[in-house]
């Protein structure tokens, strides 16, 4: 991360995931073209699952 003052720890990331009602997962396809998938995140320990969007 470029700005170390804004860096957060892993616990913060899990807290955000646990409290977010929805998320958008951004990826790139094989051609390098970006696309996004809306999701309602759920997790079991350190495993994250994508459920249907709300």
């Amino acid at each position: 991360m470029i700005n170390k003052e804004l860096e957060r720890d892993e616990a913060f990331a899990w807290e955000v995931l646990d409290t977010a009602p929805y998320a958008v997962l951004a990826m790139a396809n094989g051609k390098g073209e970006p696309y996004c998938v809306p999701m309602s995140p759920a997790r079991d320990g350190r495993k994250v699952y994508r459920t249907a969007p709300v």
Side-chain angles (χ1 to χ4, degrees), residues 4-34:
K4 293 292 184 183
E5 294 175 2
L6 299 177
E7 188 172 329
R8 302 293 181 151
D9 62 4
E10 183 179 335
F12 176 79
W14 288 120
E15 180 183 346
V16 170
L17 185 69
D18 289 340
T19 58
Y22 65 90
V24 179
L25 180 61
M27 300 172 281
N29 64 18
K31 296 178 183 178
E33 300 166 332

Side-chain angles (χ1 to χ4, degrees), residues 10 14 17-18 39 41-50:
E10 183 179 335
W14 288 120
L17 185 69
D18 289 340
M39 59 183 270
R43 76 175 180 116
D44 181 17
R46 296 176 63 94
K47 295 181 182 177
V48 178
Y49 298 94
R50 175 185 165 259

